[in-house]
Coordinates of all heavy atoms in Angstrom, one line a residue:
I200 N -56.6 121.6 -107.4 CA -57.2 122.0 -108.7 C -56.1 122.4 -109.7 O -55.3 123.3 -109.4 CB -58.3 123.0 -108.5 CG1 -59.4 122.4 -107.7 CG2 -58.8 123.6 -109.9 CD1 -60.4 123.5 -107.3
T201 N -56.1 121.9 -110.9 CA -55.2 122.2 -111.9 C -55.8 123.0 -113.1 O -55.1 123.6 -113.9 CB -54.5 121.0 -112.5 OG1 -55.5 120.1 -113.0 CG2 -53.7 120.3 -111.4
C202 N -57.1 123.0 -113.2 CA -57.8 123.7 -114.3 C -59.2 124.1 -113.7 O -59.9 123.3 -113.0 CB -58.0 122.8 -115.5 SG -58.8 123.6 -116.9
L203 N -59.6 125.4 -114.0 CA -60.8 125.9 -113.5 C -61.4 126.8 -114.5 O -60.7 127.7 -115.0 CB -60.6 126.6 -112.1 CG -61.8 127.1 -111.4 CD1 -62.5 125.9 -110.7 CD2 -61.5 128.1 -110.3
T204 N -62.7 126.6 -114.8 CA -63.4 127.5 -115.8 C -64.8 127.6 -115.4 O -65.4 126.7 -114.8 CB -63.2 127.1 -117.2 OG1 -63.7 128.0 -118.1 CG2 -63.9 125.7 -117.5
S205 N -65.5 128.8 -115.8 CA -66.9 129.0 -115.4 C -67.7 129.5 -116.6 O -67.1 130.0 -117.6 CB -67.0 130.0 -114.3 OG -66.4 131.2 -114.6
S206 N -69.0 129.2 -116.6 CA -69.8 129.7 -117.7 C -70.0 131.2 -117.6 O -69.8 131.8 -116.5 CB -71.2 129.0 -117.6 OG -71.8 129.3 -116.3
S207 N -70.3 131.8 -118.7 CA -70.3 133.3 -118.7 C -71.4 133.9 -117.9 O -71.3 135.1 -117.4 CB -70.5 133.8 -120.2 OG -71.7 133.3 -120.7
D208 N -72.4 133.2 -117.6 CA -73.5 133.7 -116.7 C -73.3 133.3 -115.2 O -74.1 133.7 -114.4 CB -74.8 133.1 -117.1 CG -74.9 131.6 -117.0 OD1 -74.0 130.9 -116.6 OD2 -76.0 131.1 -117.4
G209 N -72.2 132.7 -114.9 CA -71.8 132.3 -113.5 C -72.6 131.2 -112.9 O -72.5 130.9 -111.7
R210 N -73.3 130.5 -113.8 CA -74.2 129.4 -113.2 C -73.3 128.1 -112.9 O -73.5 127.5 -111.9 CB -75.3 129.0 -114.3 CG -76.1 127.8 -113.9 CD -77.0 128.0 -112.8 NE -77.7 126.8 -112.4 CZ -78.8 126.3 -113.0 NH1 -79.3 126.9 -114.0 NH2 -79.3 125.2 -112.5
F211 N -72.4 127.8 -113.8 CA -71.7 126.6 -113.6 C -70.2 126.9 -113.5 O -69.7 127.8 -114.1 CB -71.9 125.6 -114.8 CG -73.3 125.1 -115.0 CD1 -74.1 125.6 -116.0 CD2 -73.8 124.1 -114.1 CE1 -75.4 125.1 -116.1 CE2 -75.1 123.7 -114.2 CZ -75.9 124.1 -115.2
V212 N -69.5 126.0 -112.7 CA -68.0 126.1 -112.6 C -67.5 124.7 -112.8 O -68.1 123.7 -112.2 CB -67.6 126.8 -111.3 CG1 -68.1 126.0 -110.1 CG2 -66.1 126.9 -111.3
L213 N -66.4 124.5 -113.5 CA -65.9 123.2 -113.9 C -64.4 123.2 -113.4 O -63.7 124.1 -113.6 CB -65.9 123.0 -115.4 CG -65.3 121.8 -116.0 CD1 -66.2 120.6 -115.6 CD2 -65.3 121.9 -117.5
A214 N -64.1 122.1 -112.7 CA -62.8 121.9 -112.1 C -62.2 120.6 -112.4 O -62.9 119.6 -112.5 CB -62.9 122.1 -110.5
L215 N -60.9 120.6 -112.6 CA -60.1 119.4 -112.8 C -59.0 119.4 -111.8 O -58.4 120.4 -111.5 CB -59.5 119.4 -114.2 CG -58.5 118.3 -114.6 CD1 -59.3 117.0 -114.8 CD2 -57.7 118.6 -115.8
G216 N -58.8 118.2 -111.2 CA -57.7 118.1 -110.2 C -56.5 117.3 -110.7 O -56.5 116.8 -111.8

Side-chain angles (χ1 to χ4, degrees):
I200 294 170
T201 59
C202 181
L203 189 73
T204 185
S205 58
S206 58
S207 60
D208 62 0
R210 173 70 186 280
F211 295 106
V212 60
L213 179 67
L215 176 73

